[in-house]
Amino acid sequence: MRKTTTNFLLILTALGTSSIDSFVGGRVGGGRATIKSTTKPRKISTFNSSSSMTSSIKMSTKEESTILHQVTTKVGKSASTLVSVSFFLLLAYQRDAIILTLWIGSILNAIASKVAKKLLNHERPAELQDSDKIKLKPSDGGMPSSHAMSLSFIGTSILGGFIPAEYRLVSGIAMAIYAAIALRYRVRDHLHTVDQVAVGVVLGLVNALAWLHFAVGSSENTGAILSYVQKNWVSLETGLFPYSALSIPIVVGILVVGSFERRIVLWVKNKSKEE
């Protein structure tokens, strides 16, 4: 009886040990118990803050670059027309000898830029010919940039000869930002190289300072051109020139500043191709 009981207890012990070993996955007598799970492991979703932040920064940078690109394009394409029309409106509103003298200087500066292009005969960037962005491609040289010369001359001469001293700092910063955006467009779209723009800015600045000194003069000493305009082109009574004389700046501006010769050359080329 005692032997049977002992054998029964040994069998229960062996079965119990095997069951416990199977449950906890331990080893009994060198054997490995394997537990097969009937449930699929769940994937824990994690939030990668670093990659999300990087994506947000890239999207923000892309949007900013797109906006900057559009602003640069609009400012660059409209700069010549906007500056010319604004100068003419100022001339029509003011109609005095000083603003007329500054306008004469701007026309001579524009002519000087065209003469310099002919003499230097410096080619524009090669990428311009393959670009689809510029439909009316310039046929003249690129050195110096006439836009750069005009913006530099007009900005400097208006600041020095027309804007009151207390407003010159703010006005100068605004003009400089506008000119930088407009000239950035001309470099970006391969209308000019950086060197051509830089030379244009320097020449326009030098011309403006020289014109202010010798042609306009100062409060103590009137310049030669301003003195001539005061005596011959404006009324001695009012100090203004008549509205009817505004037709002259319009015609001269179209011929000199409005790329008139460029359009004529393009028209001649198209005509020769048709024939």
Side-chain angles (χ1 to χ4, degrees), residues 88 91 100 103 107 233 241-255:
F88 173 76
L91 180 66
L100 183 57
W103 176 81
I107 294 299
W233 291 4
F241 62 91
Y243 282 109
S244 58
L246 289 174
S247 58
I248 298 175
I250 293 175
V251 174
V252 173
I254 292 174
L255 293 176

Side-chain angles (χ1 to χ4, degrees), residues 124-135 137-138 188-191:
R124 293 176 183 261
E127 296 87 349
L128 178 62
Q129 300 304 320
D130 299 328
S131 175
D132 296 330
K133 297 179 181 179
I134 310 299
K135 295 182 179 180
K137 291 181 171 57
R188 187 199 70 188
D189 282 21
H190 310 296
L191 286 162

Side-chain angles (χ1 to χ4, degrees), residues 154-176:
I154 293 174
T156 305
S157 61
I158 291 294
L159 281 175
F162 181 75
I163 302 293
E166 58 269 24
Y167 300 117
R168 284 176 186 169
L169 179 60
V170 176
S171 301
I173 293 174
M175 289 180 181

Side-chain angles (χ1 to χ4, degrees), residues 3-269:
K3 185 177 181 180
T4 304
T5 305
T6 302
N7 292 335
F8 180 72
L9 288 175
L10 288 173
I11 293 170
L12 287 177
T13 303
L15 290 173
T17 305
S18 176
S19 300
I20 293 171
D21 184 59
S22 299
F23 180 75
V24 298
R27 292 183 180 181
V28 178
R32 178 185 295 272
T34 305
I35 303 174
K36 293 184 179 181
S37 176
T38 57
T39 58
K40 294 182 178 180
R42 291 186 304 169
K43 293 183 179 179
I44 301 175
S45 60
T46 57
F47 177 73
N48 193 334
S49 58
S50 177
S51 61
S52 178
M53 186 178 297
T54 304
S55 300
S56 299
I57 292 173
K58 286 182 178 179
M59 288 179 63
S60 177
T61 305
K62 186 177 181 180
E63 290 176 358
E64 289 177 1
S65 63
T66 302
I67 294 173
L68 181 61
H69 183 90
Q70 293 175 353
V71 170
T72 302
T73 301
K74 290 181 180 180
V75 171
K77 285 185 175 182
S78 62
S80 180
T81 302
L82 182 61
V83 172
S84 300
V85 171
S86 298
F87 202 167
F88 173 76
L89 292 176
L90 179 61
L91 180 66
Y93 174 77
Q94 198 72 12
R95 291 190 302 123
D96 61 8
I98 291 180
I99 195 67
L100 183 57
T101 303
L102 296 179
W103 176 81
I104 295 171
S106 69
I107 294 299
L108 294 176
N109 177 75
I111 294 174
S113 70
K114 296 181 182 297
V115 173
K117 284 184 178 184
K118 293 291 185 182
L119 294 176
L120 295 175
N121 194 24
H122 197 276
E123 293 184 358
R124 293 176 183 261
E127 296 87 349
L128 178 62
Q129 300 304 320
D130 299 328
S131 175
D132 296 330
K133 297 179 181 179
I134 310 299
K135 295 182 179 180
L136 182 59
K137 291 181 171 57
S139 57
D140 53 356
M143 177 72 82
S145 166
S146 55
H147 281 75
M149 277 188 69
S150 294
L151 288 171
S152 182
F153 182 93
I154 293 174
T156 305
S157 61
I158 291 294
L159 281 175
F162 181 75
I163 302 293
E166 58 269 24
Y167 300 117
R168 284 176 186 169
L169 179 60
V170 176
S171 301
I173 293 174
M175 289 180 181
I177 293 174
Y178 178 83
I181 295 174
L183 296 178
R184 166 62 184 151
Y185 161 78
R186 304 195 71 76
V187 174
R188 187 199 70 188
D189 282 21
H190 310 296
L191 286 162
H192 291 287
T193 63
V194 175
D195 293 342
Q196 292 169 355
V197 168
V199 170
V201 170
V202 173
L203 288 177
L205 176 63
V206 171
N207 288 345
L209 294 176
W211 190 257
L212 288 172
H213 181 75
F214 295 105
V216 179
S218 60
S219 56
E220 293 83 13
N221 185 22
T222 304
I225 303 299
L226 178 58
S227 178
Y228 179 83
V229 171
Q230 287 174 336
K231 294 177 181 178
N232 298 278
W233 291 4
V234 298
S235 171
L236 296 177
E237 297 177 356
T238 62
L240 305 175
F241 62 91
Y243 282 109
S244 58
L246 289 174
S247 58
I248 298 175
I250 293 175
V251 174
V252 173
I254 292 174
L255 293 176
V256 176
V257 183
S259 301
F260 183 77
E261 79 288 351
R262 187 181 302 169
R263 298 179 187 276
I264 291 295
V265 170
L266 182 64
W267 180 81
V268 171
K269 286 183 177 180

